[in-house]
Amino acid sequence: MKRTYLFIICTLVCVCASAQYTPSPAVRQSQEQFRNDRFGIFIHWGIYSTMGDGEWVQNNKNLNADEYRHLADRFCPSKFNADDWVAAFKRAGARYITITSRHHDGFSMFQTAEDAFNIKDGTPFGRDVIREIADACQRQGLHLHLYYSHLDWHRTDYPLGRTGRQLGRPTDQQDWPSYYRFMNNQLRELLTNYGPIRCIWFDGWWDHDQDPTPFDWQYEQQYALIHQLQPQCLVANNHHKIPLPGEDVQIFEQDLPGENQWGYDTYAVSSLPLESCITMNATWGYNITDKHYKTCEQLVQHLVKTAGRDGNLLLNIGPRPDGQLPSEALELLEQMGQWLEQNGPTVYETRGGCVPPQSWGVTTQRGNTLFVHILQKGLTTVFLPLKGHKAVQAQMFMGAQKVKAEQVSAGVVLTLPQPSDGPDTIVELKLRS
């Protein structure tokens, strides 16, 4: 019972605190733009890729921190080409990229004056990946988001959390003020040296979720710094909590907005722009044994289901250590691009439809046009609980074949000209209130 009361009190505190933050006009414009994009690509890439065992390999294998840092000595992705990557993502229909500028192992994928443990100064590759991706995004018209880890398994001034405790690091050198300055100095570098950044995507809050007393990450000052350096820049934090003051996007990891099959997303859906990040196979970073790729149909349906819940899909790829994108990922990107080339108008610039998600699928909407996405195969009739709206005209989105729309007391019954098939059968419905 005490835990229940504590949960309620904490929730109310978070809700009240969130109400104190008012996004600026520049942030609101970015939020609207973000909602319109609907589809982005997530990139988990770093020196951990050389191990071929995912981005958590250092923690999972308890690799000694002093030895782990030598992975940088052999990180030389000679086949990396930022323009090729961005072009592939653009052909897939993605409108933005989120890439790991620094993951939990503390290795920076950009040149930084704060720590020599970075790709420009600490590897034989000697090039700034974030710089090249930023330039390619600007050339090809994709928005750039930067992932940044709040936790660090490398620096000794990071206050130890519940992960990375078996890496041989000293336990008497933790210094939060020093580490906090380091992070903010790096964020200043990222937001002043790489052109327009549309979002900083944080991760790692949960490393201190078991502390006996709540850990103060000092987010308010950090978020204010971001908004000061780039007023249009969004702040997102993968903390699996109600959005905190200063945050502009709510993230759902491996789940659709409002669902919690993975046990991460235990909090309610907010009114902020929403994003569902999922893996293309089973892991985030490159894993040489992971061939468990989702099908194009599964990815398309996740994209549509997310859009029907008024959210974006952030689809992850883990590049190989040589800088190539896995062939399976490239093939799936091509297939998604072909689908979006035909059906993109039912996803881009839409909002979650006035009909909430149903057992047969979801709806998206633009103005008075409702797109009915029928994801269940073999259906010939579909019921829409449309109250307060009248169906004026109904047709198949592809081919414009007429669809019978019968107005009944509780809504509208659509009769399809042929059974639903494929990853998504779409009906375009004109509404009148």
Side-chain angles (χ1 to χ4, degrees), residues 102 108-122 128 148 155 181-190 192-194:
R102 175 173 163 274
S108 297
M109 294 291 282
F110 62 100
Q111 186 174 26
T112 171
E114 297 301 311
D115 195 333
F117 194 46
N118 72 76
I119 193 166
K120 183 71 164 63
D121 302 318
D128 187 330
Y148 190 89
R155 290 183 63 91
R181 283 193 302 272
F182 158 76
M183 286 196 299
N184 289 340
N185 287 342
Q186 281 207 322
L187 289 168
R188 185 178 295 276
E189 290 175 328
L190 290 168
T192 55
N193 297 335
Y194 295 88

Side-chain angles (χ1 to χ4, degrees), residues 4-67:
T4 301
Y5 284 135
L6 181 60
F7 172 80
I8 293 172
I9 291 171
C10 289
T11 300
L12 290 174
V13 168
C14 288
V15 170
C16 292
S18 295
Q20 296 171 6
Y21 168 64
T22 302
S24 69
V27 165
R28 287 197 295 270
Q29 183 176 354
S30 287
Q31 287 176 318
E32 190 73 5
Q33 186 184 66
F34 174 83
R35 281 187 167 114
N36 287 340
D37 286 353
R38 284 302 180 228
F39 181 35
I41 296 295
F42 209 176
I43 294 292
H44 275 71
W45 197 38
I47 59 173
Y48 46 78
S49 304
T50 63
M51 300 290 289
D53 197 13
E55 77 292 350
W56 272 66
V57 62
Q58 183 183 12
N59 178 83
N60 292 347
K61 301 292 188 182
N62 292 327
L63 303 180
N64 180 273
D66 289 335
E67 289 299 319

Side-chain angles (χ1 to χ4, degrees), residues 222-240:
Q222 194 170 70
Y223 293 173
L225 173 67
I226 293 168
H227 289 136
Q228 174 191 353
L229 292 171
Q230 292 207 24
Q232 87 295 340
C233 187
L234 304 173
V235 173
N237 196 328
N238 188 37
H239 48 46
H240 315 134

Side-chain angles (χ1 to χ4, degrees), residues 29-41 92-97 141-145 198 234 274-275 303 307 311-314 340 344 347-351:
Q29 183 176 354
S30 287
Q31 287 176 318
E32 190 73 5
Q33 186 184 66
F34 174 83
R35 281 187 167 114
N36 287 340
D37 286 353
R38 284 302 180 228
F39 181 35
I41 296 295
R95 293 187 168 182
Y96 64 96
I97 297 170
L142 267 66
H143 299 290
L144 179 60
H145 300 187
R198 195 175 64 175
L234 304 173
L274 311 174
E275 184 179 68
L303 170 63
N312 289 16
L313 172 63
L314 184 61
L340 279 165
V347 175
Y348 300 128
E349 287 91 34
T350 66
R351 298 294 178 264

Side-chain angles (χ1 to χ4, degrees), residues 27 111 172 190 252 327 336 397 426:
V27 165
Q111 186 174 26
D172 59 352
L190 290 168
F252 296 85
S327 55
M336 289 197 73
F397 179 73
I426 307 171

Side-chain angles (χ1 to χ4, degrees), residues 53-55 254 279-287 290 316-318:
D53 197 13
E55 77 292 350
Q254 295 283 34
T279 51
M280 187 177 278
N281 47 3
T283 48
W284 299 99
Y286 177 66
N287 187 321
D290 183 4
N316 182 76
I317 299 171

Side-chain angles (χ1 to χ4, degrees), residues 232-394:
Q232 87 295 340
C233 187
L234 304 173
V235 173
N237 196 328
N238 188 37
H239 48 46
H240 315 134
K241 290 165 55 73
I242 290 175
L244 302 172
E247 294 174 3
D248 307 301
V249 175
Q250 184 176 7
I251 300 166
F252 296 85
E253 182 176 349
Q254 295 283 34
D255 266 311
L256 295 167
E259 294 190 358
N260 185 33
Q261 297 182 23
W262 284 69
Y264 300 139
D265 306 303
T266 57
Y267 286 82
V269 177
S270 74
S271 60
L272 293 179
L274 311 174
E275 184 179 68
S276 168
C277 59
I278 67 167
T279 51
M280 187 177 278
N281 47 3
T283 48
W284 299 99
Y286 177 66
N287 187 321
I288 197 169
T289 64
D290 183 4
K291 297 293 185 179
H292 306 293
Y293 283 86
K294 299 174 178 66
T295 65
C296 180
E297 178 169 319
Q298 289 173 316
L299 295 178
V300 164
Q301 291 199 350
H302 198 101
L303 170 63
V304 170
K305 288 177 181 178
T306 305
R309 289 162 174 79
D310 203 26
N312 289 16
L313 172 63
L314 184 61
L315 180 62
N316 182 76
I317 299 171
R320 294 191 176 107
D322 64 2
Q324 293 188 98
L325 302 174
S327 55
E328 298 93 337
L330 285 171
E331 183 178 347
L332 286 167
L333 289 178
E334 288 290 338
Q335 293 171 7
M336 289 197 73
Q338 293 167 10
W339 187 89
L340 279 165
E341 187 174 358
Q342 292 184 323
N343 301 287
T346 72
V347 175
Y348 300 128
E349 287 91 34
T350 66
R351 298 294 178 264
C354 58
V355 175
Q358 304 290 310
S359 60
W360 45 259
V362 298
T363 63
T364 56
Q365 190 166 350
R366 185 186 305 108
N368 290 326
T369 301
L370 187 71
F371 299 105
V372 182
H373 298 266
I374 304 167
L375 306 178
Q376 182 179 340
K377 295 181 181 180
L379 297 182
T380 54
T381 61
V382 173
F383 171 68
L384 307 178
L386 265 172
K387 294 185 178 180
H389 297 277
K390 181 177 176 61
V392 178
Q393 178 185 347

